[in-house]
Amino acid sequence: MSEFAVILVHTTSEAIFTERILKAAGFDIKLIPTPRHLSSDCGSAVRILMSDKEDCLEALNEAGLVLDRIEPLEI
Amino acid sequence: MIYLDHAATSWPKPACVHEAMERFMRDVGASAGRSAHRLSLEAERIRFDAREVIGCLLGLNDPMRVIFTPNATTALNMVIHGLLTRENSHVVTTGMEHNAVMRPLRALEQSGVTVSIVPCQSDGMMHATSIEERIKPNTRLIVVNHASNVCGTVLPVRQIGEIARRHGIPLLVDAAQTAGAWPIDMHADHIDLLVFTGHKGLLGPSGTGGLAIHDDFNLDLLPPFIHGGTGSQSEEETQPNLMPDKYEAGTPNSVGLAGLAASVHYLMDYGLEQIVAQEQKLTSRLIDGLDEIDGVHVIGPMELNQRTAVVSFNIESIPCSEVAHHLDQQFDIMCRPGLHCAPRTHRTLGTYPDGTVRFAPGPFVPIEEVDRAIEAVTTLAEQRLNV
Protein backbone atom coordinates (compact mmCIF):
# COMPACT_ATOMS: atom_id res chain seq x y z
CA MET A 1 0.00 0.00 0.00
CA SER A 2 1.23 3.52 -0.81
CA GLU A 3 2.62 5.63 1.99
CA PHE A 4 1.05 8.74 0.51
CA ALA A 5 -2.24 9.77 -1.01
CA VAL A 6 -2.80 12.75 -3.24
CA ILE A 7 -5.78 15.11 -3.02
CA LEU A 8 -6.72 16.34 -6.46
CA VAL A 9 -8.23 19.81 -6.59
CA HIS A 10 -9.88 21.88 -9.29
CA THR A 11 -7.88 25.10 -9.01
CA THR A 12 -4.73 26.44 -7.38
CA SER A 13 -6.92 28.56 -5.10
CA GLU A 14 -8.45 25.31 -3.89
CA ALA A 15 -5.00 23.80 -3.44
CA ILE A 16 -4.01 26.70 -1.19
CA PHE A 17 -7.34 26.55 0.66
CA THR A 18 -6.79 22.81 1.26
CA GLU A 19 -3.22 23.43 2.38
CA ARG A 20 -4.40 26.15 4.78
CA ILE A 21 -7.03 23.93 6.42
CA LEU A 22 -4.88 20.82 6.73
CA LYS A 23 -1.80 22.67 7.99
CA ALA A 24 -3.89 24.46 10.60
CA ALA A 25 -5.18 21.06 11.73
CA GLY A 26 -1.59 19.83 12.10
CA PHE A 27 -1.43 17.30 9.24
CA ASP A 28 1.85 16.47 7.48
CA ILE A 29 1.18 17.68 3.94
CA LYS A 30 2.97 19.02 0.89
CA LEU A 31 1.90 20.74 -2.31
CA ILE A 32 3.16 18.78 -5.30
CA PRO A 33 2.71 19.00 -9.08
CA THR A 34 -0.42 17.12 -10.08
CA PRO A 35 0.67 13.64 -11.23
CA ARG A 36 0.01 13.63 -14.97
CA HIS A 37 -1.45 10.11 -14.98
CA LEU A 38 -4.13 11.22 -12.50
CA SER A 39 -5.27 14.53 -13.95
CA SER A 40 -4.38 17.33 -16.33
CA ASP A 41 -6.68 19.69 -14.51
CA CYS A 42 -4.53 21.86 -12.29
CA GLY A 43 -0.88 22.53 -11.65
CA SER A 44 -0.90 21.57 -8.00
CA ALA A 45 -2.20 18.80 -5.79
CA VAL A 46 -1.92 18.12 -2.07
CA ARG A 47 0.08 15.15 -0.84
CA ILE A 48 -0.96 13.68 2.51
CA LEU A 49 -0.04 10.58 4.49
CA MET A 50 -2.26 7.68 3.53
CA SER A 51 -2.80 7.02 7.25
CA ASP A 52 -4.32 10.52 7.60
CA LYS A 53 -6.74 10.12 4.69
CA GLU A 54 -9.98 9.79 6.63
CA ASP A 55 -9.13 12.52 9.13
CA CYS A 56 -8.10 14.90 6.35
CA LEU A 57 -11.35 14.25 4.50
CA GLU A 58 -13.31 15.02 7.62
CA ALA A 59 -11.44 18.30 8.19
CA LEU A 60 -12.02 19.37 4.59
CA ASN A 61 -15.69 18.41 4.67
CA GLU A 62 -16.14 20.50 7.79
CA ALA A 63 -14.66 23.48 5.95
CA GLY A 64 -17.14 22.92 3.11
CA LEU A 65 -14.52 22.05 0.49
CA VAL A 66 -15.77 19.85 -2.33
CA LEU A 67 -12.76 17.92 -3.59
CA ASP A 68 -12.11 16.48 -6.98
CA ARG A 69 -10.90 13.16 -5.52
CA ILE A 70 -8.20 11.43 -3.46
CA GLU A 71 -5.92 8.83 -5.06
CA PRO A 72 -3.04 6.70 -3.78
CA LEU A 73 0.29 8.20 -4.82
CA GLU A 74 2.51 5.69 -6.60
CA ILE A 75 6.15 6.70 -6.48
CA MET B 1 0.70 69.17 2.70
CA ILE B 2 -2.85 68.37 3.76
CA TYR B 3 -4.41 65.54 1.79
CA LEU B 4 -8.22 65.57 1.87
CA ASP B 5 -8.92 63.42 -1.19
CA HIS B 6 -9.34 60.04 0.47
CA ALA B 7 -12.68 59.44 -1.26
CA ALA B 8 -10.74 59.30 -4.54
CA THR B 9 -7.69 57.41 -3.22
CA SER B 10 -6.56 57.03 0.36
CA TRP B 11 -3.00 58.20 0.97
CA PRO B 12 -0.54 57.73 2.51
CA LYS B 13 -0.93 53.99 2.94
CA PRO B 14 0.09 52.14 6.11
CA ALA B 15 3.80 51.20 5.97
CA CYS B 16 2.88 47.49 5.95
CA VAL B 17 1.33 47.98 2.49
CA HIS B 18 4.56 49.30 0.97
CA GLU B 19 6.52 46.57 2.71
CA ALA B 20 4.25 43.76 1.49
CA MET B 21 4.40 45.03 -2.10
CA GLU B 22 8.16 45.56 -1.98
CA ARG B 23 8.62 42.07 -0.52
CA PHE B 24 6.41 40.60 -3.23
CA MET B 25 8.35 42.32 -6.02
CA ARG B 26 11.69 41.35 -4.53
CA ASP B 27 11.08 37.82 -3.22
CA VAL B 28 8.01 36.37 -4.97
CA GLY B 29 7.25 38.06 -8.27
CA ALA B 30 5.54 35.11 -9.98
CA SER B 31 1.97 34.74 -11.27
CA ALA B 32 -0.59 33.36 -8.86
CA GLY B 33 -2.42 30.32 -10.19
CA ARG B 34 -0.24 29.76 -13.25
CA SER B 35 2.54 27.34 -12.33
CA ALA B 36 3.29 24.84 -9.58
CA HIS B 37 6.72 26.13 -8.55
CA ARG B 38 7.18 27.55 -5.09
CA LEU B 39 7.13 31.20 -6.11
CA SER B 40 3.83 30.78 -7.93
CA LEU B 41 2.39 28.90 -4.97
CA GLU B 42 3.54 31.66 -2.63
CA ALA B 43 1.81 34.23 -4.88
CA GLU B 44 -1.34 32.11 -4.68
CA ARG B 45 -1.05 31.93 -0.88
CA ILE B 46 -0.91 35.72 -0.74
CA ARG B 47 -3.91 36.06 -3.06
CA PHE B 48 -5.84 33.54 -0.99
CA ASP B 49 -4.96 35.45 2.16
CA ALA B 50 -6.46 38.56 0.55
CA ARG B 51 -9.67 36.64 -0.27
CA GLU B 52 -9.91 35.29 3.23
CA VAL B 53 -9.40 38.56 5.09
CA ILE B 54 -11.76 40.52 2.82
CA GLY B 55 -14.41 37.81 3.15
CA CYS B 56 -14.01 38.07 6.91
CA LEU B 57 -14.37 41.87 6.85
CA LEU B 58 -17.61 41.57 4.84
CA GLY B 59 -19.15 38.73 6.85
CA LEU B 60 -18.75 36.02 4.20
CA ASN B 61 -18.03 32.37 5.02
CA ASP B 62 -16.54 31.19 1.73
CA PRO B 63 -13.33 32.99 0.69
CA MET B 64 -13.66 31.50 -2.81
CA ARG B 65 -16.57 33.87 -3.34
CA VAL B 66 -14.31 36.89 -3.11
CA ILE B 67 -13.45 37.70 -6.74
CA PHE B 68 -10.68 40.10 -7.70
CA THR B 69 -10.98 42.58 -10.56
CA PRO B 70 -8.81 45.56 -11.56
CA ASN B 71 -11.27 48.00 -9.95
CA ALA B 72 -14.85 48.44 -8.74
CA THR B 73 -16.05 49.58 -12.17
CA THR B 74 -15.12 46.25 -13.77
CA ALA B 75 -16.92 44.33 -11.02
CA LEU B 76 -20.04 46.52 -11.36
CA ASN B 77 -20.07 45.93 -15.12
CA MET B 78 -19.63 42.21 -14.53
CA VAL B 79 -22.82 42.02 -12.49
CA ILE B 80 -24.92 44.63 -14.30
CA HIS B 81 -24.25 43.14 -17.73
CA GLY B 82 -24.41 39.59 -16.38
CA LEU B 83 -27.80 39.83 -14.68
CA LEU B 84 -29.60 41.93 -17.27
CA THR B 85 -29.09 39.69 -20.28
CA ARG B 86 -32.65 38.36 -20.44
CA GLU B 87 -34.99 40.07 -22.85
CA ASN B 88 -37.21 42.77 -21.36
CA SER B 89 -35.12 43.10 -18.18
CA HIS B 90 -35.87 45.88 -15.69
CA VAL B 91 -33.56 47.29 -13.02
CA VAL B 92 -34.20 49.58 -10.05
CA THR B 93 -31.53 52.02 -8.91
CA THR B 94 -31.32 55.34 -7.05
CA GLY B 95 -30.68 59.00 -7.70
CA MET B 96 -27.38 58.76 -5.81
CA GLU B 97 -25.39 56.59 -8.18
CA HIS B 98 -21.88 57.02 -9.56
CA ASN B 99 -21.25 56.78 -13.30
CA ALA B 100 -19.72 53.35 -12.67
CA VAL B 101 -23.36 52.26 -12.31
CA MET B 102 -25.18 54.82 -14.45
CA ARG B 103 -23.07 54.38 -17.59
CA PRO B 104 -23.46 50.59 -17.85
CA LEU B 105 -27.20 51.02 -17.20
CA ARG B 106 -27.50 53.71 -19.88
CA ALA B 107 -25.57 51.50 -22.30
CA LEU B 108 -27.96 48.60 -21.62
CA GLU B 109 -30.97 50.84 -22.25
CA GLN B 110 -29.83 50.85 -25.88
CA SER B 111 -30.53 47.12 -26.00
CA GLY B 112 -33.96 47.31 -24.37
CA VAL B 113 -33.25 47.21 -20.63
CA THR B 114 -35.55 49.56 -18.70
CA VAL B 115 -34.26 51.52 -15.71
CA SER B 116 -36.24 52.95 -12.79
CA ILE B 117 -34.38 55.58 -10.78
CA VAL B 118 -35.69 56.18 -7.26
CA PRO B 119 -35.52 59.91 -6.53
CA CYS B 120 -33.79 60.90 -3.30
CA GLN B 121 -34.11 63.96 -1.07
CA SER B 122 -31.85 66.98 -1.49
CA ASP B 123 -29.49 65.56 1.15
CA GLY B 124 -29.40 62.23 -0.67
CA MET B 125 -31.55 60.35 1.84
CA MET B 126 -34.34 58.00 0.76
CA HIS B 127 -36.84 55.51 2.13
CA ALA B 128 -36.30 51.86 1.25
CA THR B 129 -40.01 51.52 0.48
CA SER B 130 -39.57 53.73 -2.58
CA ILE B 131 -37.46 50.91 -4.04
CA GLU B 132 -40.26 48.42 -3.45
CA GLU B 133 -42.80 50.66 -5.19
CA ARG B 134 -40.82 50.40 -8.41
CA ILE B 135 -40.37 46.63 -8.50
CA LYS B 136 -42.04 44.98 -11.51
CA PRO B 137 -42.52 41.35 -12.52
CA ASN B 138 -39.52 41.69 -14.87
CA THR B 139 -37.18 43.37 -12.34
CA ARG B 140 -33.95 41.37 -12.46
CA LEU B 141 -31.70 43.53 -10.31
CA ILE B 142 -31.64 46.24 -7.66
CA VAL B 143 -28.41 48.24 -7.58
CA VAL B 144 -27.67 50.87 -4.94
CA ASN B 145 -24.76 52.99 -3.84
CA HIS B 146 -23.98 52.21 -0.20
CA ALA B 147 -22.60 55.71 0.45
CA SER B 148 -22.29 58.70 -1.83
CA ASN B 149 -18.84 59.69 -3.08
CA VAL B 150 -20.13 63.26 -3.31
CA CYS B 151 -21.66 63.98 0.10
CA GLY B 152 -21.27 60.80 2.17
CA THR B 153 -24.98 59.96 2.50
CA VAL B 154 -25.41 56.32 3.57
CA LEU B 155 -28.43 54.60 2.01
CA PRO B 156 -30.58 52.16 4.06
CA VAL B 157 -29.01 49.05 2.56
CA ARG B 158 -30.29 46.59 5.16
CA GLN B 159 -33.91 47.62 4.62
CA ILE B 160 -33.41 47.53 0.86
CA GLY B 161 -31.85 44.08 1.29
CA GLU B 162 -34.92 42.84 3.17
CA ILE B 163 -37.14 44.07 0.35
CA ALA B 164 -34.93 42.50 -2.32
CA ARG B 165 -34.88 39.20 -0.44
CA ARG B 166 -38.67 39.21 -0.05
CA HIS B 167 -39.15 39.71 -3.78
CA GLY B 168 -36.38 37.27 -4.77
CA ILE B 169 -34.45 39.95 -6.67
CA PRO B 170 -30.64 40.09 -6.44
CA LEU B 171 -29.28 43.16 -4.64
CA LEU B 172 -26.02 44.65 -5.89
CA VAL B 173 -24.35 47.15 -3.55
CA ASP B 174 -21.65 49.56 -4.71
CA ALA B 175 -19.48 49.70 -1.61
CA ALA B 176 -16.63 51.69 -3.16
CA GLN B 177 -16.98 54.31 -0.42
CA THR B 178 -17.87 52.05 2.50
CA ALA B 179 -15.68 48.94 2.43
CA GLY B 180 -13.23 49.57 5.24
CA ALA B 181 -15.04 52.73 6.37
CA TRP B 182 -18.48 51.50 7.45
CA PRO B 183 -19.74 48.24 9.01
CA ILE B 184 -20.86 45.69 6.41
CA ASP B 185 -22.29 42.23 7.04
CA MET B 186 -23.46 40.68 3.80
CA HIS B 187 -25.60 38.11 5.64
CA ALA B 188 -27.31 40.50 8.08
CA ASP B 189 -27.68 43.17 5.37
CA HIS B 190 -29.05 40.65 2.81
CA ILE B 191 -26.53 41.76 0.18
CA ASP B 192 -26.25 39.26 -2.67
CA LEU B 193 -23.43 40.97 -4.53
CA LEU B 194 -21.09 43.59 -3.14
CA VAL B 195 -18.51 45.51 -5.13
CA PHE B 196 -15.45 46.92 -3.37
CA THR B 197 -12.35 48.81 -4.38
CA GLY B 198 -8.98 48.36 -2.76
CA HIS B 199 -7.56 51.86 -2.97
CA LYS B 200 -10.00 53.87 -0.83
CA GLY B 201 -11.21 52.80 2.62
CA LEU B 202 -9.45 49.44 2.41
CA LEU B 203 -6.17 51.42 2.32
CA GLY B 204 -4.67 49.24 -0.42
CA PRO B 205 -3.09 50.08 -3.77
CA SER B 206 -4.85 51.29 -6.92
CA GLY B 207 -5.61 48.59 -9.47
CA THR B 208 -7.28 46.31 -6.94
CA GLY B 209 -10.99 45.77 -6.43
CA GLY B 210 -13.54 43.06 -6.70
CA LEU B 211 -16.84 41.40 -6.15
CA ALA B 212 -17.95 39.58 -2.99
CA ILE B 213 -20.75 37.07 -3.59
CA HIS B 214 -23.15 35.98 -0.81
CA ASP B 215 -22.65 32.38 0.32
CA ASP B 216 -26.21 31.49 -0.78
CA PHE B 217 -26.27 33.30 -4.13
CA ASN B 218 -26.89 30.98 -7.08
CA LEU B 219 -23.75 31.31 -9.20
CA ASP B 220 -25.53 29.91 -12.27
CA LEU B 221 -27.35 33.25 -12.54
CA LEU B 222 -24.14 35.18 -13.16
CA PRO B 223 -22.13 34.32 -16.29
CA PRO B 224 -18.44 35.22 -16.62
CA PHE B 225 -17.80 38.73 -17.96
CA ILE B 226 -14.21 38.22 -19.16
CA HIS B 227 -13.17 34.91 -20.73
CA GLY B 228 -9.61 33.65 -20.89
CA GLY B 229 -6.76 31.87 -19.16
CA THR B 230 -7.18 30.81 -15.55
CA GLY B 231 -4.50 28.16 -15.06
CA SER B 232 -7.26 25.56 -14.56
CA GLN B 233 -9.00 23.18 -16.99
CA SER B 234 -6.51 24.24 -19.62
CA GLU B 235 -7.63 21.43 -21.91
CA GLU B 236 -10.97 23.23 -22.36
CA GLU B 237 -11.54 26.19 -24.68
CA THR B 238 -14.49 27.39 -22.62
CA GLN B 239 -14.42 29.24 -19.30
CA PRO B 240 -14.30 26.84 -16.30
CA ASN B 241 -17.34 26.76 -14.06
CA LEU B 242 -15.12 26.76 -10.96
CA MET B 243 -14.80 29.35 -8.24
CA PRO B 244 -13.08 31.73 -8.28
CA ASP B 245 -11.64 31.03 -11.75
CA LYS B 246 -15.03 31.47 -13.45
CA TYR B 247 -14.77 35.22 -12.91
CA GLU B 248 -10.99 35.73 -12.88
CA ALA B 249 -9.61 35.24 -16.40
CA GLY B 250 -6.26 36.84 -17.12
CA THR B 251 -3.14 37.49 -15.08
CA PRO B 252 -4.02 38.90 -11.67
CA ASN B 253 -2.46 41.99 -10.09
CA SER B 254 -0.52 39.85 -7.61
CA VAL B 255 1.65 42.65 -6.24
CA GLY B 256 -1.46 44.80 -5.74
CA LEU B 257 -3.20 41.97 -3.94
CA ALA B 258 -0.16 41.54 -1.68
CA GLY B 259 -0.59 45.20 -0.70
CA LEU B 260 -4.34 44.78 -0.31
CA ALA B 261 -4.01 41.73 1.94
CA ALA B 262 -1.62 43.69 4.15
CA SER B 263 -3.87 46.74 4.30
CA VAL B 264 -7.01 44.79 5.21
CA HIS B 265 -5.16 42.89 7.93
CA TYR B 266 -4.01 46.26 9.23
CA LEU B 267 -7.61 47.53 9.20
CA MET B 268 -8.92 44.46 11.00
CA ASP B 269 -6.21 44.72 13.65
CA TYR B 270 -6.82 48.44 14.07
CA GLY B 271 -10.57 47.93 14.34
CA LEU B 272 -13.35 49.19 12.09
CA GLU B 273 -15.19 50.75 15.02
CA GLN B 274 -12.13 52.85 15.79
CA ILE B 275 -11.84 53.90 12.13
CA VAL B 276 -15.50 54.95 12.05
CA ALA B 277 -15.14 56.86 15.34
CA GLN B 278 -12.08 58.76 14.08
CA GLU B 279 -13.74 59.62 10.80
CA GLN B 280 -16.88 60.82 12.55
CA LYS B 281 -14.84 63.09 14.78
CA LEU B 282 -13.18 64.67 11.73
CA THR B 283 -16.47 64.90 9.82
CA SER B 284 -18.21 66.56 12.73
CA ARG B 285 -15.46 69.17 13.01
CA LEU B 286 -15.53 69.78 9.25
CA ILE B 287 -19.31 70.15 9.00
CA ASP B 288 -19.56 72.43 12.03
CA GLY B 289 -16.58 74.55 10.95
CA LEU B 290 -17.65 74.98 7.33
CA ASP B 291 -21.30 75.56 8.19
CA GLU B 292 -20.37 78.57 10.34
CA ILE B 293 -18.55 80.39 7.54
CA ASP B 294 -20.50 83.20 5.94
CA GLY B 295 -21.13 82.40 2.27
CA VAL B 296 -20.36 78.66 2.57
CA HIS B 297 -23.05 76.04 1.93
CA VAL B 298 -22.52 72.48 3.14
CA ILE B 299 -24.31 69.81 1.11
CA GLY B 300 -25.62 66.48 2.40
CA PRO B 301 -26.93 65.13 5.71
CA MET B 302 -25.75 66.73 8.94
CA GLU B 303 -26.33 63.63 11.12
CA LEU B 304 -23.12 61.67 11.63
CA ASN B 305 -24.84 58.28 11.80
CA GLN B 306 -26.14 58.72 8.24
CA ARG B 307 -22.92 59.69 6.51
CA THR B 308 -19.30 58.81 5.82
CA ALA B 309 -16.33 61.19 6.00
CA VAL B 310 -17.07 62.93 2.69
CA VAL B 311 -18.10 66.58 2.97
CA SER B 312 -19.15 68.66 -0.04
CA PHE B 313 -19.57 72.42 0.02
CA ASN B 314 -19.56 75.53 -2.11
CA ILE B 315 -18.43 79.09 -1.53
CA GLU B 316 -20.94 81.56 -2.96
CA SER B 317 -19.82 83.13 -6.24
CA ILE B 318 -16.52 81.24 -6.51
CA PRO B 319 -16.52 78.27 -8.93
CA CYS B 320 -15.57 75.05 -7.13
CA SER B 321 -12.59 74.45 -9.44
CA GLU B 322 -11.15 77.84 -8.44
CA VAL B 323 -11.65 77.10 -4.77
CA ALA B 324 -9.78 73.80 -5.15
CA HIS B 325 -7.02 75.50 -7.14
CA HIS B 326 -6.53 78.16 -4.46
CA LEU B 327 -6.57 75.54 -1.71
CA ASP B 328 -3.80 73.68 -3.53
CA GLN B 329 -1.67 76.69 -4.53
CA GLN B 330 -2.09 78.97 -1.50
CA PHE B 331 -2.74 76.53 1.33
CA ASP B 332 -1.18 73.22 0.23
CA ILE B 333 -4.51 71.43 0.59
CA MET B 334 -5.48 68.66 -1.86
CA CYS B 335 -9.18 68.09 -2.55
CA ARG B 336 -11.48 67.32 -5.47
CA PRO B 337 -13.89 69.77 -7.09
CA GLY B 338 -16.49 69.24 -9.83
CA LEU B 339 -19.01 66.50 -10.46
CA HIS B 340 -16.99 63.59 -9.03
CA CYS B 341 -18.07 61.24 -11.86
CA ALA B 342 -21.57 61.38 -10.38
CA PRO B 343 -23.82 63.75 -12.36
CA ARG B 344 -26.91 61.84 -11.21
CA THR B 345 -26.00 62.50 -7.58
CA HIS B 346 -25.34 66.18 -8.23
CA ARG B 347 -28.75 66.50 -9.92
CA THR B 348 -30.31 65.02 -6.78
CA LEU B 349 -28.37 67.39 -4.53
CA GLY B 350 -29.19 70.43 -6.70
CA THR B 351 -25.51 71.04 -7.48
CA TYR B 352 -25.56 70.08 -11.17
CA PRO B 353 -23.84 71.24 -13.39
CA ASP B 354 -21.60 73.45 -11.25
CA GLY B 355 -20.51 70.72 -8.83
CA THR B 356 -19.01 71.10 -5.36
CA VAL B 357 -15.71 71.18 -3.50
CA ARG B 358 -15.18 67.88 -1.70
CA PHE B 359 -13.17 67.38 1.48
CA ALA B 360 -12.67 63.71 2.28
CA PRO B 361 -10.39 63.12 5.27
CA GLY B 362 -9.12 59.62 5.90
CA PRO B 363 -9.23 58.21 9.43
CA PHE B 364 -5.61 59.13 10.18
CA VAL B 365 -5.76 62.80 9.20
CA PRO B 366 -4.85 64.89 12.30
CA ILE B 367 -7.70 67.10 13.48
CA GLU B 368 -5.35 70.11 13.31
CA GLU B 369 -5.21 69.64 9.55
CA VAL B 370 -8.99 69.73 9.37
CA ASP B 371 -8.91 72.97 11.35
CA ARG B 372 -6.36 74.42 8.93
CA ALA B 373 -8.61 73.47 6.01
CA ILE B 374 -11.54 75.25 7.68
CA GLU B 375 -9.36 78.33 8.21
CA ALA B 376 -8.32 78.26 4.55
CA VAL B 377 -11.95 78.14 3.39
CA THR B 378 -12.75 81.00 5.78
CA THR B 379 -9.95 83.06 4.22
CA LEU B 380 -11.16 82.33 0.68
CA ALA B 381 -14.75 83.20 1.61
CA GLU B 382 -13.57 86.52 3.12
CA GLN B 383 -11.44 87.28 0.05
CA ARG B 384 -14.57 86.81 -2.06
CA LEU B 385 -16.25 89.65 -0.16
CA ASN B 386 -13.27 91.93 -0.75
CA VAL B 387 -13.09 91.44 -4.54
Side-chain angles (χ1 to χ4, degrees), chain A residues 10-17 19-20 23 31-34 40-44 65, chain B residues 33 36 41 44-45 47-49 51-52 62-64 231-233 235 242-245:
Chain A
H10 302 94
T11 64
T12 42
S13 312
E14 219 171 72
I16 299 299
F17 198 2
E19 177 193 54
R20 174 83 56 115
K23 268 195 172 170
L31 289 185
I32 60 167
T34 307
S40 60
D41 202 28
C42 163
S44 297
L65 258 180
Chain B
L41 290 174
E44 186 65 70
R45 283 189 192 99
R47 180 164 68 159
F48 188 83
D49 184 40
R51 288 189 214 286
E52 203 166 45
D62 185 359
M64 306 288 243
S232 54
Q233 289 189 349
E235 71 279 13
L242 303 167
M243 291 297 282
D245 297 21

Side-chain angles (χ1 to χ4, degrees), chain A residues 6-75:
Chain A
V6 60
I7 301 176
L8 300 176
V9 293
H10 302 94
T11 64
T12 42
S13 312
E14 219 171 72
I16 299 299
F17 198 2
T18 303
E19 177 193 54
R20 174 83 56 115
I21 292 162
L22 295 183
K23 268 195 172 170
F27 291 105
D28 180 8
I29 68 148
K30 189 178 180 187
L31 289 185
I32 60 167
T34 307
R36 190 69 189 166
H37 67 281
L38 292 178
S39 171
S40 60
D41 202 28
C42 163
S44 297
V46 186
R47 192 193 72 183
I48 60 172
L49 294 173
M50 184 59 88
S51 54
D52 287 339
K53 185 180 164 184
E54 294 308 318
D55 292 337
C56 285
L57 266 177
E58 196 180 325
L60 295 170
N61 278 338
E62 270 181 30
L65 258 180
V66 181
L67 302 171
D68 187 352
R69 60 189 199 274
I70 297 188
E71 298 283 347
L73 180 62
E74 309 296 344
I75 302 174

Side-chain angles (χ1 to χ4, degrees), chain B residues 59-93:
Chain B
L60 276 184
N61 297 328
D62 185 359
M64 306 288 243
R65 286 180 172 236
V66 175
I67 305 301
F68 291 118
T69 58
N71 44 51
T73 301
T74 304
L76 286 165
N77 271 269
M78 181 191 287
V79 177
I80 290 170
H81 283 274
L83 292 184
L84 297 174
T85 48
R86 280 172 64 182
E87 209 174 311
N88 194 30
S89 289
H90 171 252
V91 54
V92 181
T93 189

Side-chain angles (χ1 to χ4, degrees), chain B residues 30-48:
Chain B
S31 276
R34 293 301 187 274
S35 310
H37 56 72
R38 64 178 184 271
L39 294 182
S40 174
L41 290 174
E42 186 55 22
E44 186 65 70
R45 283 189 192 99
I46 291 168
R47 180 164 68 159
F48 188 83

Side-chain angles (χ1 to χ4, degrees), chain B residues 70-180:
Chain B
N71 44 51
T73 301
T74 304
L76 286 165
N77 271 269
M78 181 191 287
V79 177
I80 290 170
H81 283 274
L83 292 184
L84 297 174
T85 48
R86 280 172 64 182
E87 209 174 311
N88 194 30
S89 289
H90 171 252
V91 54
V92 181
T93 189
T94 80
M96 290 301 285
E97 301 306 313
H98 187 278
N99 267 347
V101 166
M102 291 313 300
R103 285 182 174 173
L105 292 182
R106 293 304 186 205
L108 283 169
E109 278 185 320
Q110 304 300 314
S111 53
V113 169
T114 51
V115 181
S116 293
I117 300 173
V118 174
C120 300
Q121 299 162 20
S122 60
D123 60 358
M125 304 296 289
M126 59 165 288
H127 295 290
T129 49
S130 50
I131 295 264
E132 190 161 30
E133 289 161 9
R134 284 162 179 82
I135 290 173
K136 300 176 183 180
N138 60 334
T139 303
R140 309 269 179 248
L141 176 67
I142 297 169
V143 49
V144 300
N145 195 354
H146 195 182
S148 167
N149 68 311
V150 176
C151 62
T153 310
V154 175
L155 295 188
V157 159
R158 185 167 295 188
Q159 290 90 326
I160 295 170
E162 285 167 4
I163 290 166
R165 190 55 56 96
R166 202 160 61 239
H167 289 266
I169 299 167
L171 171 64
L172 166 64
V173 171
D174 173 2
Q177 291 293 327
T178 49

